[in-house]
Amino acid sequence: MDTVEKIVEDFASDIAMSSFSSGTRLRDMIRAIRACKTAAEERAVVRRECAAIRTAISENEPALRHRNMAKLMFIHMLGYPTHFAHMECLKLIAAAGYPEKRVGYLGLMLLLDERQEVLMLVTNSLKQDLNHPNQFIVGLALCALGNICSAEMARDLSPEVERLMRSREVNTKKKAALCSIRIVRKVPDLAENFMALAASLLKEKHHGVLISAIQLCTELCKASKDALEYLRKNCIEGLVRILRDVSNSSYAPEYDVSGIADPFLHIRVLKLMRILGQGDADCSEYMNDILAQVATKTDSNKNAGNAILYECVQTIMGIEATSGLRVLAINILGRFLSNRDNNIRYVALNMLMRAIAVDALAVQRHRTTILECVKDADASIRKRALELVFLLVNDTNVKPLTKELIDYLSIADPDFKGDLTSKICSIVEKFSQEKLWYLDQMFKVLSLAGNHVKDDVCHALIVVLSNASELQGYSVRSLYKALQAYGKQGSLVRVAVWCIGEYGEMLVNNVGMLDGEEKITVTESDAVDAVEIALNRHSADATTGAMCLVALLKLSSRFPSTSEVKQIVARNKENAVLELQQRSIEFSSIIQRHQSIRSSLLERMPVLDEASYLVKRATATQATISANKHAPTVAPGGLKLPNGVAKPTSAPLADLLDLSSDDAPASTTTSTTTPNDFLQDLLGIGGVSTSTAGVPSTASTDILMDLLSIGSSPLQNGTPGQESKPVHAVPEAIDLLGSLSSTTSVSAETKPTRLVSQGMDLLDGLSSSTSVSGLEKTVHPSITAFQSTTLKITFDLKRQPGNPRETTIHATFTNLTSSTYTDFIFQAAVPKFIQLKLDPASGNTVPANGNGSVTQGLSVTNNQQGQKPLAMRIRMSYKVNGEDRLEQGQVSNFPSGL
């Protein structure tokens, strides 16, 4: 039984058999191919026709050669292979008649390119045809040479092309000039042969020859500096004459386009003038008059005229033009902005963005029109106009421009609000001269488009608020009122609840009233209700919900008489969001059981260092961009550095700690806490919540505060447990300091904490007289820094006398397996406030079964001793039977006080 494909092919063969032979005409083949209903039918028709053409080629039928070549070109355009007929092109080119040569050259340009070896065989035919007495055959050869010329052909045939450029025939000169462009591109060294010829062609009257000559001059300027200097000396006068003649010429039907005389020649001349005048004051001065004439006399009501004007503006802005001429050019672009054609307005905005660097004052005059473009219905014009407005902003116009943009923000399309909000925030941050104006504008943006404001903008706003003590009362009242009216804006809610939590008593007592500010009546219950509404409305957003719970916890200390907070926090103990559930359990424990330390635990955040934050933010942005461009990867075992040789800022060390801010300048002053804070990283809790981004990490910040993510407290010198274990959440109420009695101190001997089903209280047992700052510290001389089933690392610690900040560590590496470790390399990374020095290791082979060990010395200096504990990430790479192995971990059980 025949297959479907065979049936289709047999059917196609039947319908094609009677009509196809080697003498089938091109139109008949095209008609048959178009009649095919499936791809299989088309392939069958093409296969049949190719077979007939091969037969004709083998039988050497000259009469059908040009017809077969025409059919092959059509088949080639359909995507089928036609390599078997390349020699037929050469045979047609070698024929004596013009019709055969025409088809042959057309096939040569379509079927072959300069990479084909067959092309070498056509060089002699081209040379003969370039010397042919028939100008039409010469034209065919020039067209083919200009399309597929290789470097070898260019060198061989350039003398003939040079000769033809002096021909009396207009068409021959024009084609020779265009062919020479290809020759100069392929062999730039030949540019000097065409400089004088190109300059002489600029004296021609025929516009076709002039356009070809100008294109050749443009290519010569790009190919050779000598040619550029030659044309500056010999062509400027001719170009000015051409431009003046064509601008003042009367109506000529053969060159007229919508009433404009040959706009193509206009544009070519202007482009060449821009190249010649760039960086040359003398040439630019010679062009000024004719450019002013073109700019003032060209009709701007027609598209061809606008094209000439746009090119004229580009030329004026590209050369050393006078200031008056530049103002004229920018005014033309201002008129373009009022055009109804979106394309013209878009190119005008693009050109104005480049013109700002040349003459910003002239562009400022069109500020109103540019602002109207921001409100345009076309998305591309809106975005480009917004970028231009951003470039226009300076210290004198920032307030009116910002007002216009914020007014438009309320009615802007949702798709455009993100870009608009980002630009407004950038403008306000960059150009704000007084904090009150900055806060007012940011509050407006948060109210109108809070869902489009990025987190880093909110963090920067919080930093400014913490530094503006005289405006904190005004800010919390403004945000409270905005929260009542625009409670669905996410970023507004987060900033507002943070302020209410920090400065709630200022809201209730109307502290820090400004001149002209209206008093508002807000009770303690109203403040708590505002946070509760935000918590209920944004319960699905873990970040916002967490910030609301932190604000409620702080309000419990600010408003001791308010009992609602305890109930609201307790209601979230069964929240489906694990983050909110955990916070609710911990915060309830603080409210109910630890009244004595609550006030110190929840005191107001200290002032954040605004300058350090801005530097760190800029550095982090640059680091992110750099990391996206080239993200280095290190394969396990791929590090071949000898022990004790470390790169201070290399990617592997940064990777050990995952500290994106390690490249920032080291500082011993107060810094801001980021999700990459070293303690969070070491404990693996960096991703607990994003709600604390931007919250400061002061000298009193410790592990407890980090776990609770509630900012600062008087806790000092807190240290992690001996070995950090993963925390497993359970549904029952828990508290993370459960086994501490009134006399128990937090030390390096603290056992690993695992959450169990019984209720455990993190602070349980602390008597009312116990303060967190009074926790004792113990020092242990030796610790197990790392232990797995294959490797054990022991640190022997010794503090240097006279320098309590420096600690000497003697590391011992023991192999716990039955296989010897070779090429052993130990690496360590520390946060930026710690200095680390690695000594060479005693060897790079670790014996099996603990029968010997490798030792290595380390020296660490804690520049913030007593404020932050030692912390270290370690990585060990080695080979086992030739196979690369990699192990890494964190050392978080250093004794306190180091």
Side-chain angles (χ1 to χ4, degrees):
M1 187 175 180
D2 293 334
T3 62
V4 174
E5 183 176 0
K6 188 174 185 304
I7 295 172
V8 170
E9 291 185 358
D10 290 343
F11 174 76
S13 300
D14 292 338
I15 65 172
M17 181 67 74
S18 60
S19 59
F20 277 146
S21 67
S22 61
T24 306
R25 294 182 300 175
L26 174 63
R27 69 180 66 179
D28 296 330
M29 186 192 74
I30 294 173
R31 188 178 294 114
I33 289 176
R34 288 182 176 175
C36 296
K37 296 181 179 179
T38 65
E41 290 182 25
E42 181 183 295
R43 287 195 298 271
V45 172
V46 171
R47 193 182 304 118
R48 179 75 62 182
E49 183 59 30
C50 288
I53 293 173
R54 284 194 183 93
T55 302
I57 291 173
S58 62
E59 294 177 357
N60 195 16
E61 299 181 9
L64 299 176
R65 188 170 286 148
H66 67 283
R67 180 180 293 178
N68 289 338
M69 181 54 61
K71 290 189 286 187
L72 281 169
M73 285 188 282
F74 184 80
I75 291 171
H76 173 79
M77 288 188 288
L78 292 177
Y80 295 96
T82 56
H83 56 276
F84 59 87
H86 286 173
M87 292 302 298
E88 292 298 291
C89 293
L90 305 187
K91 292 178 182 178
L92 285 170
I93 291 172
Y98 175 77
E100 289 81 5
K101 284 184 178 291
R102 183 179 63 174
V103 176
Y105 276 119
L106 184 59
L108 181 73
M109 291 183 285
L110 187 62
L111 303 182
L112 283 80
D113 57 41
E114 60 179 285
R115 295 168 294 179
Q116 301 287 343
E117 294 182 359
V118 181
L119 203 60
M120 294 187 297
L121 304 176
V122 82
T123 304
N124 191 49
S125 297
L126 280 169
K127 189 169 186 177
Q128 291 177 2
D129 289 341
L130 289 174
N131 292 288
H132 201 281
N134 188 332
Q135 64 165 321
F136 298 107
I137 293 178
V138 173
L140 290 176
L142 286 170
C143 285
L145 188 62
N147 277 280
I148 62 169
C149 171
S150 63
E152 292 78 10
M153 293 174 66
R155 291 188 179 93
D156 293 339
L157 300 176
S158 62
E160 277 70 23
V161 177
E162 293 176 36
R163 179 181 55 79
L164 291 172
M165 288 178 68
R166 301 184 183 93
S167 172
R168 294 181 178 179
E169 297 294 335
V170 171
N171 287 332
T172 302
K173 283 193 288 189
K174 178 178 68 175
K175 292 182 179 180
L178 293 174
C179 182
S180 61
I181 294 174
R182 171 89 177 193
I183 292 174
V184 171
R185 287 176 181 168
K186 290 297 174 182
V187 188
D189 295 341
L190 296 176
E192 61 182 12
N193 298 342
F194 294 95
M195 293 189 301
L197 292 170
S200 65
L201 289 180
L202 295 179
K203 300 176 183 178
E204 295 287 334
K205 299 294 183 183
H206 192 275
H207 287 202
V209 177
L210 288 174
I211 290 179
S212 302
I214 291 169
Q215 286 181 275
L216 175 58
C217 291
T218 304
E219 194 64 36
L220 288 172
C221 292
K222 296 176 182 177
S224 169
K225 290 185 178 179
D226 294 337
L228 176 61
E229 293 300 325
Y230 178 87
L231 295 175
R232 278 175 175 168
K233 294 177 181 178
N234 298 277
C235 294
I236 291 295
E237 185 177 349
L239 291 173
V240 170
R241 176 185 53 79
I242 293 170
L243 194 55
R244 182 178 292 111
D245 291 344
V246 73
S247 299
N248 298 329
S249 63
S250 57
Y251 173 74
E254 64 270 28
Y255 302 129
D256 184 80
V257 178
S258 301
I260 305 294
D262 203 344
F264 303 102
L265 181 58
H266 269 100
I267 290 172
R268 289 291 179 185
V269 173
L270 289 168
K271 283 184 177 179
L272 181 54
M273 282 184 167
R274 181 164 71 250
I275 295 173
L276 297 177
Q278 188 172 11
D280 191 304
D282 294 335
C283 289
S284 301
E285 184 179 357
Y286 197 84
M287 301 174 190
N288 283 339
D289 292 341
I290 187 61
L291 291 175
Q293 179 181 333
V294 172
T296 53
K297 289 189 175 181
T298 305
D299 187 2
S300 61
N301 294 321
K302 297 172 182 175
N303 203 41
N306 286 327
I308 294 173
L309 287 172
Y310 177 70
E311 200 63 45
C312 184
V313 169
Q314 281 195 304
T315 301
I316 292 171
M317 304 308 293
I319 67 173
E320 307 299 320
T322 61
S323 59
L325 197 58
R326 286 175 177 166
V327 171
L328 175 62
I330 292 173
N331 289 340
I332 292 172
L333 295 175
R335 292 204 306 270
F336 280 0
L337 294 179
S338 302
N339 198 297
R340 290 178 295 178
D341 191 330
N342 287 346
N343 294 323
I344 293 176
R345 292 156 68 196
Y346 185 82
V347 297
L349 290 168
N350 269 338
M351 193 63 208
L352 284 170
M353 290 180 67
R354 292 160 54 189
I356 285 182
V358 180
D359 194 341
L361 186 59
V363 180
Q364 289 282 359
R365 298 191 185 103
H366 303 279
R367 190 174 64 206
T368 304
T369 310
I370 296 169
L371 276 171
E372 289 301 317
C373 291
V374 176
K375 306 171 185 178
D376 194 85
D378 188 279
S380 299
I381 291 177
R382 285 202 306 262
K383 290 184 178 181
R384 189 62 71 195
L386 182 59
E387 292 173 5
L388 180 55
V389 168
F390 183 76
L391 296 176
L392 284 175
V393 177
N394 54 38
D395 293 332
T396 59
N397 61 18
V398 59
K399 290 187 177 181
L401 278 178
T402 304
K403 182 180 183 303
E404 291 280 353
L405 294 176
I406 291 178
D407 289 344
Y408 175 62
L409 186 60
S410 59
I411 58 173
D413 292 342
D415 294 339
F416 186 53
K417 275 190 175 182
D419 293 334
L420 185 57
T421 301
S422 176
K423 290 296 183 186
I424 294 174
C425 293
S426 298
I427 290 170
V428 173
E429 288 180 359
K430 184 177 180 181
F431 295 98
S432 60
Q433 299 174 349
E434 49 190 36
K435 289 187 177 181
L436 179 59
W437 180 82
Y438 166 82
L439 294 173
D440 284 338
Q441 307 313 308
M442 293 304 299
F443 294 161
K444 291 178 184 177
V445 173
L446 288 172
S447 300
L448 296 174
N451 291 328
H452 301 277
V453 177
K454 297 180 180 179
D455 288 343
D456 60 336
V457 176
C458 297
H459 300 163
L461 175 59
I462 288 175
V463 172
V464 173
L465 279 172
S466 70
N467 283 271
S469 57
E470 71 283 359
L471 297 175
Q472 289 169 352
Y474 168 77
S475 298
V476 70
R477 287 187 292 274
S478 300
L479 287 169
Y480 176 80
K481 290 186 285 188
L483 185 62
Q484 303 297 314
Y486 305 97
K488 294 183 179 181
Q489 303 293 340
S491 295
L492 171 67
V493 172
R494 287 192 283 272
V495 176
V497 298
W498 182 89
C499 281
I500 293 173
E502 290 294 321
Y503 314 118
E505 70 281 6
M506 291 186 175
L507 173 65
V508 172
N509 301 324
N510 282 318
V511 176
M513 293 291 295
L514 301 181
D515 294 339
E517 183 186 356
E518 279 187 28
K519 285 188 177 183
I520 59 173
T521 303
V522 180
T523 63
E524 295 180 355
S525 297
D526 292 338
V528 173
D529 290 344
V531 179
E532 181 186 10
I533 292 171
L535 175 62
N536 295 334
R537 179 176 290 169
H538 299 272
S539 57
D541 183 354
T543 301
T544 306
M547 293 186 74
C548 291
L549 287 174
V550 172
L552 288 169
L553 178 63
K554 291 202 170 188
L555 289 179
S556 69
S557 175
R558 308 284 189 272
F559 309 145
S561 60
T562 305
S563 59
E564 306 170 49
V565 174
K566 177 180 176 181
Q567 301 170 3
I568 298 170
V569 173
R571 282 201 295 268
N572 285 274
K573 286 185 178 181
E574 298 179 357
N575 197 301
V577 181
L578 184 60
E579 168 70 14
L580 302 184
Q581 179 188 124
Q582 178 180 345
R583 285 176 183 264
S584 177
I585 293 171
E586 294 170 355
F587 293 174
S588 295
S589 175
I590 292 172
I591 294 173
Q592 296 174 16
R593 305 184 185 182
H594 307 293
Q595 300 291 334
S596 60
I597 65 169
R598 185 172 63 175
S599 58
S600 58
L601 192 67
L602 303 177
E603 66 182 7
R604 186 175 298 169
M605 284 178 55
V607 175
L608 303 174
D609 189 341
E610 189 173 357
S612 298
Y613 173 78
L614 294 176
V615 170
K616 191 172 184 179
R617 180 183 176 191
T619 306
T621 302
Q622 292 175 0
T624 302
I625 295 173
S626 176
N628 290 338
K629 287 185 178 178
H630 6 259
T633 57
V634 180
L639 301 175
K640 300 299 181 184
L641 297 176
N643 283 359
V645 179
K647 296 181 182 178
T649 58
S650 63
L653 294 183
D655 181 61
L656 285 174
L657 272 174
D658 292 329
L659 296 177
S660 64
S661 60
D662 274 357
D663 54 346
S667 173
T668 58
T669 59
T670 303
S671 61
T672 55
T673 301
T674 68
N676 288 324
D677 185 270
F678 82 101
L679 291 176
Q680 293 175 338
D681 184 84
L682 290 173
L683 292 175
I685 58 173
V688 169
S689 173
T690 59
S691 63
T692 58
V695 178
S697 174
T698 65
S700 61
T701 304
D702 68 341
I703 303 301
L704 171 61
M705 296 302 97
D706 198 287
L707 285 172
L708 297 180
S709 298
I710 54 176
S712 63
S713 80
L715 273 163
Q716 295 185 1
N717 303 330
T719 56
Q722 182 171 354
E723 289 188 5
S724 297
K725 299 293 183 181
V727 178
H728 303 280
V730 294
E732 287 81 12
I734 56 165
D735 202 342
L736 297 180
L737 293 182
S739 57
L740 292 182
S741 66
S742 58
T743 60
T744 302
S745 62
V746 179
S747 69
E749 291 292 334
T750 305
K751 298 299 181 183
T753 303
R754 181 179 298 273
L755 305 185
V756 293
S757 57
Q758 294 90 346
M760 296 169 56
D761 191 347
L762 188 67
L763 299 175
D764 195 20
L766 288 179
S767 65
S768 58
S769 61
T770 303
S771 65
V772 183
S773 60
L775 294 179
E776 298 178 3
K777 298 180 290 185
T778 59
V779 178
H780 298 268
S782 179
I783 61 172
T784 300
F786 176 86
Q787 184 168 356
S788 65
T789 58
T790 59
L791 183 66
K792 179 180 179 181
I793 303 176
T794 304
F795 281 0
D796 295 320
L797 308 174
K798 180 180 179 182
R799 183 174 296 178
Q800 292 295 326
N803 187 3
R805 295 185 176 183
E806 184 177 354
T807 304
T808 301
I809 302 175
H810 183 78
T812 304
F813 309 95
T814 305
N815 183 354
L816 304 180
T817 67
S818 59
S819 301
T820 301
Y821 296 164
T822 59
D823 295 342
F824 184 86
I825 296 175
F826 170 75
Q827 290 178 298
V830 293
K832 61 188 178 183
F833 63 84
I834 298 176
Q835 295 178 354
L836 170 66
K837 180 182 177 182
L838 284 172
D839 296 328
S842 61
N844 61 357
T845 301
V846 187
N849 299 319
N851 297 325
S853 60
V854 172
T855 60
Q856 186 168 0
L858 298 83
S859 176
V860 291
T861 303
N862 187 353
N863 293 320
Q864 296 191 22
Q865 183 196 15
Q867 302 174 10
K868 293 184 179 180
L870 281 181
M872 183 182 295
R873 278 265 191 174
I874 57 176
R875 172 181 287 178
M876 293 69 65
S877 62
Y878 52 89
K879 287 186 177 181
V880 181
N881 299 324
E883 182 181 355
D884 291 329
R885 299 288 177 86
L886 182 71
E887 293 188 64
Q888 60 185 10
Q890 63 226 9
V891 184
S892 56
N893 56 338
F894 284 106
S896 61
L898 292 183

